[in-house]
C-alpha cells in the first residue's frame, strides 16, 4: 500500500492508493476537531502499529511541529497537538519535519531555526508526541558540497530535508541557499555524501 500526503495552496490534501491501482485524491477528512486546516504545511506520514501518524508544521503562531493520527490515513484525523516546540534543547522555531520509521522508533529530521541546520530527534512508538534531540547539524555543509560546476562556491548550510530509507541506506533531498541537493548515508546520521 502507498500513502502520500501533499499540500496544495496551504490545504492538506491526501493522495493515496495502491500503486498498481492508480491514484485517488481528495481533501483529508479532518473532522470537527481539526480546525484551521490552512495553517498546516509540510506533512510527513508514517504507517506504524495499524495507524497512520502525521507530523506537520503549523504556521499560525510558532512554526513548530504538530501531530495527528488516523486509523485509515484518510478520515477522522485526531485533533493536532504540538509535539516539537520552542523549549529546552529545541529552542527556536522547528520546521519542515521528515519522519521515518527506523524499525525501533520514529526518527524526525527537521530544520532548526536557531542555527538553520538539520537536527534529528527520536520518539518511541508508544509516545509519538514526545521527542528527544539526539543529533544536531547531521548533514553539515561546506566542502565537498558546491553549487557550480567549477566548485568555487560551497554550500554554507542545508535545511528543509526530505529523508527516506531505501535499500538498506538513507537518502535525502536537501534545500540550500543555492539549489536542491541529494545525499546518501549508511545510517542516516553519519557519513552523508553527495
Amino acid at each position: 500500500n502507498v500513502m502520500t500526503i501533499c499540500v496544495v495552496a496551504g490545504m492538506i490534501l491526501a493522495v493515496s492508493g495502491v500503486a498498481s491501482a492508480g491514484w485517488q485524491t481528495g481533501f483529508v477528512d479532518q473532522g470537527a476537531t481539526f480546525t484551521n486546516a490552512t495553517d498546516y504545511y509540510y506533512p510527513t506520514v508514517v504507517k506504524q502499529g495499524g495507524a497512520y501518524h502525521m507530523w506537520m508544521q503549523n504556521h499560525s503562531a510558532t512554526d513548530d511541529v504538530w501531530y495527528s493520527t488516523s486509523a485509515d490515513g484518510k478520515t477522522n484525523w485526531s485533533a493536532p497537538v504540538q509535539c516539537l516546540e520552542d523549549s529546552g534543547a529545541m529552542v527556536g522555531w522547528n520546521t519542515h519535519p521528515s519522519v521515518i520509521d527506523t524499525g525501533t522508533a520514529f526518527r524526525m529530521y527537521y530544520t532548526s531555526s536557531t542555527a538553520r541546520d538539520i537536527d534529528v530527534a527520536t520518539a518511541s512508538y508508544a509516545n509519538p508526541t514526545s521527542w528527544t534531540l539526539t543529533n544536531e547539524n547531521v548533514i553539515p555543509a561546506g566542502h565537498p558540497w558546491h553549487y557550480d560546476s567549477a566548485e568555487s562556491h560551497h554550500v554554507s548550510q542545508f535545511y528543509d530535508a526530505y529523508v527516506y530509507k531505501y535499500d538498506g541506506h538513507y537518502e535525502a533531498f536537501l534545500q540550500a541557499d543555492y539549489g536542491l541537493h541529494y545525499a546518501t548515508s549508511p545510517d542516516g546520521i553519519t557519513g552523508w555524501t553527495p
Side-chain angles (χ1 to χ4, degrees):
N1 287 333
V2 175
M3 181 64 184
T4 303
I5 300 284
C6 65
V7 174
V8 176
M11 293 293 292
I12 294 177
L13 180 71
V15 182
S16 62
V18 178
S20 61
W23 293 96
Q24 300 171 346
T25 64
F27 283 104
V28 170
D29 177 7
Q30 297 144 341
T33 59
F34 204 121
T35 59
N36 300 323
T38 56
D39 289 336
Y40 297 98
Y41 293 77
Y42 312 115
T44 177
V45 178
V46 175
K47 184 180 181 184
Q48 203 285 325
Y52 290 86
H53 305 267
M54 176 165 59
W55 298 266
M56 64 216 123
Q57 181 177 334
N58 184 312
H59 275 308
S60 63
T62 58
D63 262 349
D64 289 331
V65 177
W66 291 59
Y67 168 82
S68 179
T69 187
S70 166
D72 65 5
K74 294 183 281 187
T75 60
N76 298 316
W77 286 93
S78 64
V81 295
Q82 192 171 12
C83 65
L84 199 64
E85 55 189 319
D86 180 359
S87 65
M90 300 180 195
V91 67
W93 289 358
N94 302 301
T95 63
H96 297 81
S98 180
V99 179
I100 62 170
D101 181 347
T102 66
T104 57
F106 293 120
R107 179 190 293 168
M108 181 189 297
Y109 298 80
Y110 66 95
T111 299
S112 165
S113 66
T114 304
R116 202 181 183 201
D117 59 13
I118 299 167
D119 292 351
V120 172
T122 58
S124 68
Y125 294 144
N127 196 351
T129 62
S130 179
W131 293 86
T132 302
L133 177 65
T134 55
N135 303 87
E136 296 181 274
N137 195 23
V138 293
I139 310 178
H143 190 77
W145 308 94
H146 58 86
Y147 59 84
D148 65 7
S149 58
E151 300 189 24
S152 58
H153 297 92
H154 296 290
V155 173
S156 61
Q157 60 190 167
F158 290 118
Y159 48 92
D160 304 353
Y162 172 74
V163 181
Y164 57 98
K165 196 173 180 180
Y166 175 74
D167 199 24
H169 65 279
Y170 294 79
E171 302 185 0
F173 288 95
L174 313 157
Q175 181 66 45
D177 291 332
Y178 297 91
L180 185 67
H181 295 259
Y182 168 83
T184 63
S185 165
D187 61 8
I189 300 295
T190 61
W192 287 98
T193 57

